[in-house]
Amino acid sequence: MGQARMRRMSPMRREERVAGMTGKQVLVAEAAVVGGLVLALLIREMPGLVREIRIWRMVGVRSGSRHPR
């Protein structure tokens, strides 16, 4: 039954079966890899970001638009 079903499929679908992954699965895998890299970069840079925020607070940088002193 499996052989007969494979013969009836269009050539494109047969290639997808052989490859084992559809286009959607490839995109999901790529998104997972990119998301992991972004998360790793954010975790690695976190101490520097915290340091910058402390400096900005000491200098007096405020959020939003205010009149200059």
Side-chain angles (χ1 to χ4, degrees), residues 2-69:
Q3 291 282 349
R5 188 172 184 198
M6 288 293 279
R7 276 189 230 125
R8 283 185 280 158
M9 296 177 102
S10 68
M12 185 68 151
R13 296 290 294 168
R14 194 177 315 132
E15 288 174 6
E16 286 180 4
R17 285 275 196 186
V18 171
M21 290 187 78
T22 64
K24 186 175 181 180
Q25 289 173 328
V26 171
L27 288 175
V28 168
E30 288 178 353
V33 169
V34 170
L37 289 173
V38 168
L39 184 62
L41 182 65
L42 183 65
I43 290 172
R44 180 178 172 180
E45 294 296 325
M46 188 60 72
L49 292 173
V50 170
R51 190 177 310 117
E52 288 291 330
I53 291 170
R54 285 182 183 164
I55 291 170
W56 291 342
R57 285 182 181 170
M58 283 189 279
V59 171
V61 175
R62 305 234 186 258
S63 61
S65 60
R66 297 186 71 171
H67 298 291
R69 296 184 191 180

